[in-house]
């Protein structure tokens, strides 16, 4: 673990894996809740956690580099279910990469409980983990200039849902009508770090 100063009152903590980042994020949230950590924002990413608004960043940096961080606890939160039509244009390519049929891709994906590891790229976009490493897929060699809102996609170890139309190079396997980002909703983002997610097949796949 390495803690790097960011300005006067922030730290960027680097760890070795996504699992360690999730564990550190959970531990820092626990400390803030119990009152032993005063911090304005705790923002997880793939292998980092950013802490902003610290009273004594240098002291915390020294402590974290020697801290024994427990694994992230299992979340008791309700599962968010996203209805999905497995009609994506890259479904056959993903099946070929996995060495299975498109029907098996649907079965494996829908049988998996995902967890939002972190958010980014666009408002409301969550990076969901849960598939075993053997199902990692590469990004497309040529990104699309426009991916439609609601596209369910895979890239590397992650599943994601595009909250709005944007360019993207992920493999598209399906579509959902669920609104991921709504500025009039509180909170605006349906998904946040730690949220449990399941994809529920609907219609023809």
């Amino acid at each position: 673990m390495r803690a790097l100063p960011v300005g006067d009152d922030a730290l960027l903590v680097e760890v070795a894996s996504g699992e360690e980042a999730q564990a550190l994020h959970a531990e820092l949230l626990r400390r803030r809740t119990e009152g032993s950590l005063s911090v304005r924002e705790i923002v997880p990413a793939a292998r980092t956690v950013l802490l902003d608004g610290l009273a004594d960043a240098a002291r915390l940096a020294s402590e974290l580099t020697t801290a024994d961080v427990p694994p992230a606890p299992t979340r008791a939160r309700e599962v968010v279910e996203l209805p999905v039509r497995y009609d994506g244009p890259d479904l056959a390519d993903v099946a070929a990469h996995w060495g299975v049929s498109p029907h098996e891709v649907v079965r494996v994906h829908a049988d998996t409980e995902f967890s939002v590891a972190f958010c980014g790229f666009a408002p409301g976009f969550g990076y969901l983990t849960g598939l075993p490493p053997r199902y990692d897929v590469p990004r497309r060699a040529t990104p699309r200039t426009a991916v439609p809102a609601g596209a369910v996609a895979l890239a590397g170890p992650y599943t994601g849902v595009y909250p709005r139309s944007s360019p993207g190079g992920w493999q598209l396997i399906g579509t959902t009508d669920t609104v991921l980002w709504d500025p009039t909703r509180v909170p605006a983002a349906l998904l946040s770090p730690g949220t449990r997610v399941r994809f529920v097949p609907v219609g023809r796949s």
Side-chain angles (χ1 to χ4, degrees):
M1 188 184 302
R2 185 169 68 150
L4 306 173
V6 180
D8 295 329
D9 61 355
L11 288 177
L12 183 67
V13 184
E14 297 179 340
V15 294
S17 68
E19 291 76 13
E20 290 184 25
Q22 292 176 52
L24 178 60
H25 179 237
E27 172 64 9
L28 293 170
L29 288 176
R30 184 192 67 77
R31 292 188 187 187
R32 182 169 67 177
T33 298
E34 73 175 15
S36 63
L37 174 64
S38 177
V39 60
R40 184 169 57 248
E41 296 286 346
I42 305 174
V43 184
R47 294 182 181 86
T48 63
V49 179
L50 176 69
L51 296 97
D52 187 29
L54 293 166
D56 191 344
R59 182 193 62 77
L60 183 61
S62 177
E63 177 193 340
L64 287 178
T65 53
T66 59
D68 183 17
V69 178
T74 301
R75 295 292 186 107
R77 299 167 65 170
E78 183 178 350
V79 176
V80 173
E81 293 188 346
L82 300 179
V84 57
R85 299 180 297 278
Y86 283 95
D87 56 2
D90 301 323
L91 182 61
D93 290 342
V94 170
H97 185 78
W98 287 9
V100 301
S101 68
H103 179 77
E104 181 67 4
V105 173
V106 174
R107 187 195 67 77
V108 169
H109 195 259
D111 284 352
T112 300
E113 182 176 295
F114 293 87
S115 177
V116 180
F118 58 96
C119 297
F121 168 63
F125 189 94
Y127 289 78
L128 280 64
T129 57
L131 288 171
R134 66 181 179 276
Y135 294 126
D136 288 8
V137 296
R139 286 170 169 77
R140 288 173 50 83
T142 303
R144 292 179 170 89
T145 56
V147 175
V152 178
L154 306 180
Y158 302 113
T159 289
V161 181
Y162 284 76
R164 63 186 183 189
S165 179
S166 62
W170 289 36
Q171 308 282 355
L172 308 185
I173 63 169
T175 310
T176 182
D177 294 326
T178 302
V179 177
L180 278 293
W181 175 261
D182 181 357
T184 66
R185 183 173 59 199
V186 179
L190 179 65
L191 306 180
S192 60
T195 301
R196 299 159 61 200
V197 178
R198 278 195 176 275
F199 293 90
V200 180
V202 296
R204 184 170 57 86
S205 60

